[in-house]
Amino acid sequence: MDRRDFLKAGSAAAASALAPVGFGEVQAGDGSSTAASGRMILPINRNWRFSRPMAATATDAAHGKDFDDSGFDMVVVPHTNILLPWHSFDEKSYEIISLYRRKFKLPAEAGSQLKGSKRVFVDFEGAMTASTVWINGTKLGEYKGGYTPFSFELTKYVDFDGENVLAVDVDSTERADIPPFGYQIDYLTFGGIYREVALRIVPQTFIENVFAQPKAVLSSAPTVDVHTYIQHGDGGQAMTLLVELLDGEKVIASGTAKIPAGVAAAAEPMEHVVTLEKLGPIKLWDLKNPNLYHARVTLQQGKIALDQEMRRFGFREAVFTKEGFKLNGKVIKLRGLDRHQTFPYVGQAMPARPQKQDAKILRETLRCNIVRTSHYPQSRHFLDACDEIGLLVLEEIPGWQHIGPLPWQDISVDNVSRMIRRDWNHPSIITWGVRINESRDNHDFYVRTNAMAHKLDPSRPTCGIRYFQSSEFLEDVFTMNDFGWPLLPPNHDAYLNTEFVGHTYPAKSIDNMERLTEHTLRHARVHDQLASNPQYAGGIGWCFFDYNTHGDFGSGDRMCYHGVADFFRERKPAGGFYKSQCDPGEEIVLEPAFHWARNDESTQFSKAVVSSNCDNLKFYLKGQLIADAKPDREQFKYLKYAPFDVDLTKVDLSSLWADLRIDGYIAGKQVISRQYSGHGLDQQFAVLPDDTTLIADGADTTRVVFRVTDEFDNIRPYAGDPIALTLEGPAEIIGDNPFALVGGTGAIWIRAKQEAGMAVLTAKHPRLGEQKVTFTLTASEPERA
Ligand code: GAL
């Protein structure tokens, strides 16, 4: 959570000691308050006017103040420039230059009395791919890049009392001058202002950024260097920087720095470091207990607090060694998945809740301990969730195989800087990916990206994702996409496998079970080999879920079916393998990689592969024990929890065919039991919302999963029925209606409108009845600008 969330959290949170200060409520170090100082963050996500390209939007007038945009759509960001089917569409449909316009008036307390004392910025968290911004008809410039944040200063042009108009041309074409474009890429980038936007009103001299860098965290005397970046305005008087460390709401350490008078205004912010010592016992951030602290910095002039900022961070030591990856001195074998940030229907335009849900699925359902944000910086909400639930992150710059000419490389080096300066406080991030994924060597370029990363953040190692081992090693960790089998031996001390399986064995959830079983085993085999040698820090498999791609990749329907989960985040059997690698203390797992059907294999059912962290599994038919199985140690010598591969060819299934029961045992004690119907009938229709309370801000969204199951809740993989949907109340359906199940499952999303109340979704299966879900839509403060 950062300052924006605090401000959005409403008055209760704003009153707490953790709240950053707004206008007129700045607290000086001695607790006194002063008026008319501080900063104001004004989200402007609602009330945008949007138009797809037409003759009128390409004119100068369209970017001016008086243009009549009343015929445009009224939209809320995150926004996609076109709603799409979940697959089989033409990417040209979003490759457009669209126009967004947003009128705003600054609140009264930010009005003309502050002219001269305040600066006003507009902050975009992400718009795909190039954005040209105007304020009141004056063009401010173009920002090139879809995955990194950017700001424009409005101070000179803004009307502090009257109405203002921001206009943004968002160019969502694949521009060869901007990473990742210039060649092919195996994913889609979509279009629109797809992350949040805010106005930021700050004093002339203000806090531009804060980096809290813990040191000696495993010693008896940990410290934290708090780097505060101050953007100085003209004619500065002497100031004091107060830096406080907060555990919850309690200040547990503080320090100050003096800033002399007469610091001249400069284009770049000035860095001031305050080291906080004598912190007392510190709770480390780790995977089980992701303890978080806050650094609060206040810029003071005498008793007046000019500005205040807060950043969340954690104390942990993360290093790559020849013995593997160590978190807080303990080796942790990395086990994770690559994640694209795309969703069905809306591309990348999803707000906080579904972003956080992805992190939860990775950590709490698939039991991964690491994710790679392939192939670009992802939503801050996703990263916040990783901090909160203890999921490690490899974050990398935008790019895919292609390196463009020098100006393109300049943008890429700048991407390194923007990524790190946005995300350096996340304890979950353990390495920065500073190469273009799978590109060839380019000495000069990669010397620059590494230097930038090391200069900004000496506390984290760099890496860069490669496809050949002889590649020049300029980073700290050698990260390699090794799709071969067996895997190559590590050729550097710090060595991490960052992709495998993927396109070498696509698997759809509607595929024959033999393929899905083999898909599971391939992931298991790779992790087994990775377990064989401590020098492999671990493996990040390709990939978390199926994703949209260009026509020259994938399965011919603009999809790569490479996920261990489908596009709706419903897991395939391979997802069960990842899950099964957790400690039974976390969850006892028993996940078959087969579908209980008598004759769906080439001859008849013979091979029951199960991913499980149990010691042995007993299989029963009609109450008769038909197998007592141990993990398959012949095939999987090194995995802590080897899958079970049970041969049932000798079982007389024609006489015994019935419901299958599998009991799992640990240390001789039965700990789990699962059943699989032998009836071969679709029995139940389930509707499973991730959440039933949404904030009525026009953006908040949650997923609703549909499943057709047997009587024991197992998905019936060949159910493809249409689910007819009706929604009453102030919310909308994102998705197809009717929705045709894929592999017995699938999902739509429900997005709140801006009106509080109740919404009721009715989902009707043609034969298995209907289910209703009621959503509570809680009131949200209107935006103030
Ligand atoms: C890799 C690439 C990924 C994806 C994957 C498919 O080479 O880095 O982005 O395309 O192949 O298996």
Side-chain angles (χ1 to χ4, degrees):
M1 173 140 139
D2 71 4
R3 62 202 153 87
R4 287 196 186 82
D5 296 300
F6 274 115
L7 284 168
K8 279 192 241 159
S11 50
S16 87
L18 278 187
V21 285
F23 280 17
E25 45 168 323
V26 168
Q27 285 214 322
D30 62 1
S32 63
S33 288
T34 60
S37 36
R39 63 176 48 212
M40 187 183 262
I41 308 292
L42 300 165
I44 47 167
N45 297 317
R46 308 177 202 171
N47 302 317
W48 285 88
R49 292 279 184 183
F50 165 79
S51 171
R52 290 176 62 80
M54 52 187 189
T57 61
T59 60
D60 282 347
H63 306 105
K65 217 167 154 177
D66 303 324
F67 182 76
D68 178 11
D69 59 16
S70 57
F72 286 16
D73 292 346
M74 187 73 107
V75 303
V76 178
V77 302
H79 178 251
T80 175
N81 66 11
I82 184 170
L83 276 166
L84 295 157
W86 69 265
H87 68 153
S88 290
F89 56 83
D90 186 349
E91 56 269 32
K92 290 289 168 220
S93 57
Y94 66 72
E95 282 191 43
I96 53 171
I97 301 175
S98 45
L99 173 62
Y100 290 79
R101 288 171 52 91
R102 175 64 160 78
K103 295 193 173 129
F104 69 90
K105 249 184 111 165
L106 296 178
E109 66 268 40
S112 56
Q113 78 275 14
L114 296 178
K115 202 169 173 182
S117 71
K118 295 287 174 186
R119 294 175 70 177
V120 184
F121 294 84
V122 58
D123 298 334
F124 291 85
E125 295 193 34
M128 190 58 71
T129 298
S131 307
T132 308
V133 180
W134 287 259
I135 175 80
N136 300 332
T138 301
K139 187 172 171 175
L140 299 172
E142 180 186 48
Y143 179 72
K144 297 181 186 183
Y147 297 103
T148 33
F150 58 97
S151 304
F152 284 100
E153 179 157 12
L154 310 178
T155 315
K156 268 202 253 166
Y157 314 101
V158 79
D159 183 338
F160 277 81
D161 295 316
E163 189 171 80
N164 296 279
V165 180
L166 273 172
V168 191
D169 272 352
V170 178
D171 183 351
S172 305
T173 63
E174 300 195 349
R175 291 216 343 219
D177 57 332
I178 307 174
F181 303 117
Y183 176 58
Q184 309 172 299
I185 48 171
D186 172 20
Y187 50 95
L188 297 183
T189 50
F190 303 96
I193 302 180
Y194 76 99
R195 290 181 184 155
E196 291 88 341
V197 190
L199 296 170
R200 173 170 43 108
I201 309 173
V202 289
Q204 288 293 333
T205 295
F206 65 94
I207 300 163
E208 188 265 347
N209 205 336
V210 178
F211 178 20
Q213 198 183 321
K215 293 249 171 92
V217 298
L218 301 185
S219 76
S220 56
T223 61
V224 54
D225 286 352
V226 179
H227 303 246
T228 303
Y229 293 82
I230 297 178
Q231 188 72 62
H232 285 270
D234 270 329
Q237 300 182 16
M239 286 174 290
T240 306
L241 190 64
L242 170 68
V243 177
E244 296 163 298
L245 174 63
L246 285 96
D247 179 2
E249 301 199 350
K250 196 167 152 228
V251 177
I252 57 167
S254 63
T256 56
K258 296 270 172 241
I259 300 167
V263 178
E268 292 300 315
M270 191 179 269
E271 182 183 356
H272 300 267
V273 187
V274 173
T275 301
L276 301 182
E277 294 166 326
K278 302 208 176 66
L279 309 181
I282 281 292
K283 291 167 280 176
L284 294 177
W285 183 93
D286 66 25
L287 303 189
K288 279 210 184 103
N289 298 298
N291 294 302
L292 295 164
Y293 290 80
H294 286 85
R296 180 167 66 196
V297 300
T298 311
L299 191 59
Q300 301 178 167
Q301 204 167 68
K303 290 205 164 200
I304 300 172
L306 294 176
D307 195 12
Q308 190 176 78
E309 266 287 50
M310 180 111 76
R311 290 292 196 277
R312 197 176 70 175
F313 70 102
F315 289 83
R316 93 284 181 281
E317 186 190 84
V319 287
F320 287 83
T321 73
K322 203 172 173 172
E323 295 84 50
F325 170 74
K326 289 186 184 163
L327 184 66
N328 301 331
K330 211 180 118 219
V331 172
I332 291 183
K333 196 60 131 179
L334 297 174
R335 181 181 73 245
L337 294 161
D338 289 275
R339 176 198 187 232
H340 270 301
Q341 63 176 12
T342 46
F343 290 83
Y345 316 115
V346 293
Q348 317 196 81
M350 274 293 186
R353 194 183 299 272
Q355 303 284 351
K356 291 187 165 222
Q357 180 69 14
D358 268 8
K360 273 204 214 155
I361 296 169
L362 281 164
R363 183 83 191 100
E364 291 165 9
T365 304
L366 299 175
R367 300 287 175 193
C368 291
N369 56 29
I370 188 166
V371 59
R372 170 175 165 222
T373 65
S374 50
H375 302 293
Y376 36 75
Q378 301 192 352
S379 158
R380 70 181 162 96
H381 303 295
F382 178 75
L383 298 171
D384 281 346
C386 294
D387 291 345
E388 287 154 14
I389 61 181
L391 179 62
L392 302 166
V393 180
L394 183 171
E395 187 172 39
E396 71 184 333
I397 51 170
W400 203 83
Q401 298 193 348
H402 165 75
I403 301 174
L406 204 53
W408 188 106
Q409 294 171 28
D410 292 342
I411 294 177
S412 187
V413 174
D414 183 64
N415 284 338
V416 173
S417 163
R418 282 174 199 263
M419 170 177 78
I420 294 178
R421 298 189 92 254
R422 188 192 70 163
D423 292 333
W424 50 16
N425 290 305
H426 289 284
S428 55
I429 298 177
I430 54 169
T431 176
W432 303 116
V434 300
R435 289 172 68 105
I436 301 303
N437 170 64
E438 294 188 336
S439 55
R440 271 176 240 154
D441 284 346
N442 185 319
H443 179 83
D444 293 351
F445 175 37
Y446 290 134
V447 164
R448 289 177 68 201
T449 59
N450 274 283
M452 176 61 86
H454 286 135
K455 183 180 97 185
L456 291 172
D457 180 8
S459 74
R460 283 185 183 84
T462 59
C463 68
I465 282 68
R466 296 167 160 78
Y467 70 102
F468 61 110
Q469 275 197 339
S470 57
S471 165
E472 186 189 16
F473 187 33
L474 298 163
E475 294 77 24
D476 306 305
V477 183
F478 197 87
T479 38
M480 171 78 189
N481 291 348
D482 185 355
F483 282 93
W485 180 253
L487 302 174
L488 298 167
N491 63 334
H492 291 276
D493 283 359
Y495 188 95
L496 174 65
N497 195 334
T498 36
E499 287 187 35
F500 42 87
V501 186
H503 63 283
T504 63
Y505 207 79
K508 304 176 186 66
S509 52
I510 49 165
D511 272 343
N512 185 291
M513 273 296 151
E514 281 167 288
R515 190 166 183 92
L516 286 160
T517 303
E518 175 60 15
H519 183 233
T520 308
L521 292 172
R522 286 183 183 218
H523 278 275
R525 284 183 206 120
V526 171
H527 282 282
D528 190 60
Q529 193 184 338
L530 294 171
S532 72
N533 179 348
Q535 204 175 327
Y536 289 121
I540 303 178
W542 192 265
C543 58
F544 175 10
F545 51 80
D546 301 338
Y547 57 95
N548 291 135
T549 191
H550 285 91
D552 30 14
F553 296 93
S555 292
D557 61 345
R558 298 299 196 276
M559 288 294 294
C560 275
Y561 293 93
H562 299 171
V564 305
D566 69 16
F567 201 8
F568 305 97
R569 283 54 168 170
E570 284 278 270
R571 68 182 176 277
K572 302 175 193 169
F577 164 73
Y578 280 82
K579 195 175 171 58
S580 72
Q581 295 308 297
C582 73
D583 192 277
E586 264 182 85
E587 184 179 351
I588 295 163
V589 179
L590 195 166
E591 292 271 319
F594 61 84
H595 164 47
W596 187 233
R598 209 181 316 191
N599 293 306
D600 202 32
E601 284 184 37
S602 307
T603 48
Q604 63 154 52
F605 190 96
S606 62
K607 188 180 161 76
V609 170
V610 182
S611 302
S612 174
N613 51 9
C614 291
D615 294 342
N616 64 306
L617 301 179
K618 293 188 182 178
F619 288 60
Y620 295 90
L621 284 177
K622 295 187 172 162
Q624 196 175 314
L625 180 70
I626 56 160
D628 186 349
K630 292 260 174 227
D632 181 359
R633 282 286 163 212
E634 251 172 64
Q635 216 190 140
F636 304 103
K637 292 198 172 48
Y638 305 101
L639 275 176
K640 191 155 179 211
Y641 302 110
F644 294 70
D645 190 345
V646 185
D647 182 3
L648 295 185
T649 35
K650 303 245 162 51
V651 179
D652 178 9
L653 288 180
S654 51
S655 67
L656 279 177
W657 187 259
D659 297 348
L660 171 69
R661 193 180 95 221
I662 310 177
D663 293 348
Y665 288 77
I666 294 179
K669 206 175 136 226
Q670 192 203 312
V671 287
I672 188 170
S673 182
R674 298 269 312 261
Q675 292 195 76
Y676 306 90
S677 174
H679 291 110
L681 293 173
D682 296 344
Q683 303 272 15
Q684 308 182 95
F685 172 50
V687 179
L688 307 163
D690 286 337
D691 306 271
T692 50
T693 301
L694 293 174
I695 300 165
D697 62 0
D700 198 8
T701 299
T702 193
R703 180 181 66 148
V704 181
V705 171
F706 307 120
R707 286 182 193 156
V708 165
T709 68
D710 67 11
E711 58 271 46
F712 305 114
D713 298 333
N714 304 297
I715 292 175
R716 298 272 306 153
Y718 308 123
D721 314 292
I723 308 299
L725 306 168
T726 50
L727 183 66
E728 285 162 57
E732 60 188 318
I733 294 170
I734 300 178
D736 291 340
N737 186 11
F739 177 83
L741 296 175
V742 193
T745 182
I748 52 108
W749 278 257
I750 297 292
R751 193 185 215 219
K753 292 188 177 165
Q754 294 177 53
E755 201 185 305
M758 306 291 253
V760 179
L761 174 72
T762 307
K764 189 165 187 282
H765 182 278
R767 290 172 305 283
L768 297 172
E770 65 175 38
Q771 304 279 337
K772 283 189 193 297
V773 182
T774 302
F775 297 92
T776 306
L777 308 157
T778 61
S780 151
E781 299 271 304
E783 288 183 345
R784 298 179 62 205

